[in-house]
Amino acid sequence: EVQLLESGGGLVQPGGSLRLSCAASGFALSSFAMSWVRQAPGRGLEWVSTVTADGGSTFYADSVRGRFTSSRDNSKNTLYLQVYSLRAEDTAIYYCARVWIDWYFDLWGRGALVMVSS
Amino acid sequence: EIVLTQSPATLSLSPGERATLSCRASQHIHNYLAWYQQKPGQAPRLLIYDASNRATGIPGRFSGSGFGTDFTLTISSLEPEDFAVFYCQQRSNWPLTFGGGTKLEIK
């Protein structure tokens, strides 16, 4: 079955950090650019980051640039999002999504909840 | 940054009725627009890409149109499972942006 599964979410204090993972199955991650999209509670969707298929280029929203880092290990079929200096406004469900036709999202994971609170 | 404005914020209709959702871009984006459906507790699902192309497995009652700055998602005859929140998304410029969403609710 083709799917994405995020992990690594949780409760973290302001200023803290964590690493989200997204495991792909049923397809070769190396063939696709991948993205992270987040959704604050009760709010809309916000694009966070995109990394190209080979990991050579990354793109970030202004709101996270310098604090978040996207990477991937194609040999493990896994995408990562390292987040630093977390703020309350980073509280959200973080979805990983497969990029299609530069740059839509045709496959989404179930999401990982990150809560930033003291 | 390209701002996408969706209207109405909420649309109340009955099954069998026709739904028309709007997405307006703050600048010209050609046809580089997608529509997603999100049900409560679920991830979004791609419905339409490049303004008018249905994604794989999407029923024919969903259609998209538009070019430039004004786009429309139409559901020709609502089924009970269609009620959800719909988002548009542009890929014309970085950063990629989404509209604020339209909630389609049962009347």
Side-chain angles (χ1 to χ4, degrees):
Chain A
E1 181 184 2
V2 175
Q3 64 178 1
L4 299 168
L5 184 62
E6 301 91 340
S7 60
L11 176 63
V12 61
Q13 293 188 335
S17 63
L18 53 71
R19 188 178 79 164
L20 301 178
S21 299
C22 171
S25 56
F27 69 99
L29 192 73
S30 59
S31 297
F32 296 90
M34 296 293 294
S35 291
W36 292 94
V37 177
R38 68 184 180 182
Q39 187 170 35
R43 306 295 296 273
L45 302 170
E46 179 188 15
W47 169 76
V48 171
S49 177
T50 294
V51 55
T52 53
D54 64 359
S57 295
T58 51
F59 306 88
Y60 298 97
D62 287 346
S63 59
V64 307
R65 185 176 293 111
R67 300 188 298 121
F68 289 15
T69 301
S70 288
S71 62
R72 59 196 297 159
D73 186 339
N74 287 337
S75 68
K76 296 183 178 179
N77 243 25
T78 302
L79 174 74
Y80 303 101
L81 183 68
Q82 180 71 52
V83 300
Y84 304 94
S85 302
L86 283 163
R87 307 166 181 168
E89 55 265 35
D90 295 318
T91 294
I93 297 172
Y94 285 73
Y95 295 100
C96 66
R98 189 173 71 179
V99 172
W100 188 60
I101 308 185
D102 298 349
W103 308 88
Y104 301 129
F105 312 113
D106 73 327
L107 178 68
W108 298 65
R110 293 185 175 182
L113 178 61
V114 173
M115 294 184 62
V116 183
S117 174
S118 55
Chain B
E1 172 175 320
I2 294 175
V3 176
L4 298 177
T5 301
Q6 292 188 241
S7 61
T10 304
L11 184 58
S12 300
L13 294 170
S14 300
E17 291 192 293
R18 180 184 187 91
T20 302
L21 288 67
S22 175
C23 178
R24 176 165 290 178
S26 60
Q27 57 186 274
H28 195 286
I29 60 170
H30 303 275
N31 67 333
Y32 299 147
L33 188 99
W35 290 93
Y36 299 85
Q37 178 191 49
Q38 186 179 32
K39 297 179 181 180
Q42 296 185 17
R45 176 176 70 148
L46 178 65
L47 299 174
I48 301 288
Y49 66 94
D50 284 348
S52 61
N53 299 289
R54 275 190 300 278
T56 302
I58 301 305
R61 63 182 181 273
F62 291 91
S63 64
S65 63
F67 185 85
T69 60
D70 291 306
F71 300 87
T72 301
L73 173 69
T74 301
I75 309 172
S76 59
S77 179
L78 286 165
E79 298 287 341
E81 63 268 25
D82 296 339
F83 292 89
V85 179
F86 294 83
Y87 296 96
C88 54
Q89 177 240 326
Q90 65 81 23
R91 69 175 182 98
S92 177
N93 283 10
W94 297 95
L96 306 177
T97 51
F98 291 88
T102 290
K103 181 180 181 179
L104 177 59
E105 65 178 22
I106 299 177
K107 186 174 181 179

